[in-house]
Amino acid sequence: MPAPLTLIETPSNPPKEADVVVIGGGIVGVFTAYFLTQRGLKTVLLEKGRIGAEQSSRNWGWCRQQNRDARELPISTKSLDLWERFVAETGEDIGFRRCGLLYLSNNEAEIEGWARWRDFAKTAGVTTHMLSAAEAAEKGKATGRSWKGGVFSPTDGIADPSKAAPAVARAVMKLGGTVIQNCAARGVETEGGRLSAVVTERGTIRTKIAILSGGAWASSFCRQLGIRFPQASIRSSIVAVSGAEGIPPALHTKDISVTARSNGDYTLSISGRARVDLTPQQLRFLPQFLPMFLKRWQLLSPGGLEGMKGGHETVSRWRLDRPTPMEHMRILDPKPDQGTLRLIHQRALELLPALKSTKITGTWAGYIDSTPDGVPGIGELESLPGFILAAGFSGHGFGIGPGAGHLIADIATGAEPIVDPRPYHPSRFNASAWGKVAEF
């Protein structure tokens, strides 16, 4: 694991039956299992590798409302409250704090866009402060630069990706739920046209409900069930450096973004900059992703063979009685792009002089899985009753993980949903994404 991650111990073998099986132990999967277990359901959480080892430990750690697409703002607001509630209920240390997020810019069009979002956010009861040039210079004094303006969202915050998913998984087990690592789900069984079991590499679990929170693996898993789920992944690179004084805990500019970790380090990245590693799955869904790629082409560059090596975007079929690609690649661990790493570090040192005294403590990459419109697919599929999809979080999954987990638990139990689930339902992928790609 090049990215820091808390390792936890779990049982080796799954039970023979469960009320609900959650497939995938990233942040969305663990929070789904947490809320289901809280409600008294016999819940099994399956993870093919380590809890939180893929993108859930490789992201920035931002928990934000600021600049969210209108479809995601309600679940973002709920998630911030649920992050706090989880800490209060469990006493677990996940590094969560509402430190506020600081955005700085010298681009008037960008500042005007933030102002428009501020006006929209007011209608949803969200507080965000536009900064004058003087206020931006004061808030961003660590840069030693002047700025035309900025925005500060005081109720937003950060959590620690190295701690969060494992901590929630521990809480699941304390509540009586079952967490199994290094155990891949290979597929499902049906009876009478609805889901009746989940088949794993270590046996079959009888259940009436299965939830797929498989991250970048979700589409290839769905393909085994005859379900078409358009999904594409991009490879994003991150640099970690040792701590320095006076740097904001969460800072974004167009050139570089900086986030504090609870161990004192900072992670550095360039927002949106990523490599597109061509795979058979990407070719398959290319027509649906044209609106997304055309909107964000300036930040995306052609990649290499990392996606083919990972096996997560295969279009092949696998058998339930033989090892699957997920067992050959327990943890997706793509190589970071060296040119991007150099650029990230260079830009960070130029922006924040205090970082010149720091050392690089780590570099890593991760696959960010996206849908054609940049909004996750969450909902039970009509073609397979009992099967609930929760994937395609498009780089936003960590921050909205608690709200998504709560919503998925609501859907699974028939409870009043925490937010309106209709904007997320996968049935929308039957239509074109033109004009619907998320702004932020």
Side-chain angles (χ1 to χ4, degrees):
M1 282 295 297
L5 178 67
T6 301
L7 303 181
I8 62 172
E9 295 300 320
T10 61
S12 299
N13 295 308
K16 298 296 183 182
E17 60 181 10
D19 294 326
V20 185
V21 176
V22 180
I23 302 168
I27 198 69
V28 173
V30 294
F31 267 115
T32 299
Y34 176 73
F35 290 118
L36 288 168
T37 307
Q38 262 195 338
R39 300 178 195 193
L41 276 71
K42 184 178 180 181
T43 305
V44 176
L45 173 62
L46 298 173
E47 168 52 47
K48 63 179 175 50
R50 284 283 188 176
I51 293 292
E54 294 189 342
Q55 191 56 23
S56 290
S57 61
R58 298 165 187 251
N59 62 86
W60 297 9
W62 284 33
C63 306
R64 66 177 173 92
Q65 300 164 104
Q66 180 65 41
N67 290 344
R68 284 287 189 207
D69 184 88
R71 291 163 288 186
E72 285 190 349
L73 184 57
I75 204 169
S76 302
T77 301
K78 295 290 186 181
S79 291
L80 283 161
D81 294 337
L82 291 172
W83 279 109
E84 288 182 323
R85 194 177 99 184
F86 174 78
V87 174
E89 289 174 346
T90 66
E92 289 279 0
D93 174 18
I94 55 174
F96 177 76
R97 52 179 170 142
R98 292 203 191 217
C99 57
L101 308 180
L102 175 61
Y103 293 64
L104 300 173
S105 180
N106 281 317
N107 184 301
E108 291 182 0
E110 186 173 40
I111 295 169
E112 289 171 2
W114 294 342
R116 287 193 299 272
W117 189 91
R118 183 269 318 271
D119 295 340
F120 153 70
K122 284 181 180 179
T123 68
V126 175
T127 300
T128 186
H129 301 309
M130 294 302 300
L131 304 177
S132 66
E135 291 168 331
E138 174 59 27
K139 285 277 189 184
K141 59 186 176 183
T143 68
R145 298 183 183 183
S146 60
W147 299 92
K148 289 186 177 180
V151 64
F152 182 69
S153 53
T155 60
D156 288 346
I158 57 176
D160 192 332
S162 71
K163 296 180 176 181
V168 181
R170 280 197 302 263
V172 170
M173 292 188 286
K174 289 177 182 176
L175 290 172
T178 301
V179 179
I180 308 293
Q181 297 181 106
N182 294 306
C183 181
R186 292 177 172 174
V188 305
E189 293 180 350
T190 61
E191 287 182 6
R194 68 169 295 121
L195 187 136
S196 61
V198 172
V199 180
T200 83
E201 62 180 287
R202 296 190 198 143
T204 300
I205 308 172
R206 304 293 297 178
T207 186
K208 292 183 178 179
I209 301 174
I211 297 162
L212 178 62
S213 54
W217 297 87
S219 184
S220 61
F221 190 97
C222 284
R223 182 170 170 78
Q224 312 309 308
L225 313 180
I227 296 168
R228 191 177 191 276
F229 172 45
Q231 183 184 38
S233 298
I234 56 174
R235 176 164 48 101
S236 178
S237 300
I238 282 184
V239 175
V241 297
S242 54
E245 294 294 326
I247 297 175
L251 169 65
H252 167 80
T253 71
K254 72 176 182 63
D255 290 328
I256 199 75
S257 296
V258 182
T259 313
R261 289 280 181 123
S262 57
N263 66 353
D265 285 0
Y266 282 86
T267 54
L268 317 173
S269 58
I270 300 173
S271 179
R273 189 181 183 93
R275 292 283 181 179
V276 181
D277 296 325
L278 196 62
T279 65
Q281 181 175 293
Q282 289 201 354
L283 291 174
R284 181 187 182 210
F285 294 131
L286 180 60
Q288 283 187 261
F289 276 91
L290 280 177
M292 170 76 74
F293 288 141
L294 289 174
K295 189 166 189 174
R296 301 181 179 176
W297 67 270
Q298 291 177 312
L299 293 169
L300 301 176
S301 302
L305 298 177
E306 287 296 304
M308 299 288 283
K309 295 175 184 175
H312 57 295
E313 292 190 342
T314 179
V315 294
S316 65
R317 305 275 186 171
W318 58 69
R319 291 177 49 169
L320 301 186
D321 61 347
R322 293 182 181 177
T324 66
M326 296 171 289
E327 291 150 76
H328 294 299
M329 182 62 71
R330 295 284 179 183
I331 297 172
L332 273 178
D333 185 24
K335 294 179 181 178
D337 182 69
Q338 294 301 312
T340 300
L341 295 179
R342 288 190 293 270
L343 184 61
I344 289 171
H345 195 229
Q346 173 191 329
R347 287 186 179 183
L349 298 188
E350 291 173 354
L351 180 70
L352 297 161
L355 291 180
K356 292 179 180 178
S357 63
T358 65
K359 296 180 179 179
I360 293 177
T361 58
T363 61
W364 60 83
Y367 278 115
I368 299 173
D369 64 296
S370 179
T371 63
D373 59 10
V375 175
I378 303 173
E380 185 174 14
L381 301 184
E382 293 181 6
S383 61
L384 181 53
F387 184 76
I388 298 172
L389 178 66
F393 281 80
S394 308
H396 310 152
F398 185 82
I400 67 173
H406 197 295
L407 175 61
I408 297 157
D410 295 338
I411 294 169
T413 59
E416 181 71 22
I418 190 171
V419 297
D420 183 359
R422 289 174 294 181
Y424 310 111
H425 199 277
S427 60
R428 73 182 192 277
F429 300 130
N430 295 326
S432 169
W434 289 104
K436 302 173 186 177
V437 177
E439 287 296 329
F440 299 99

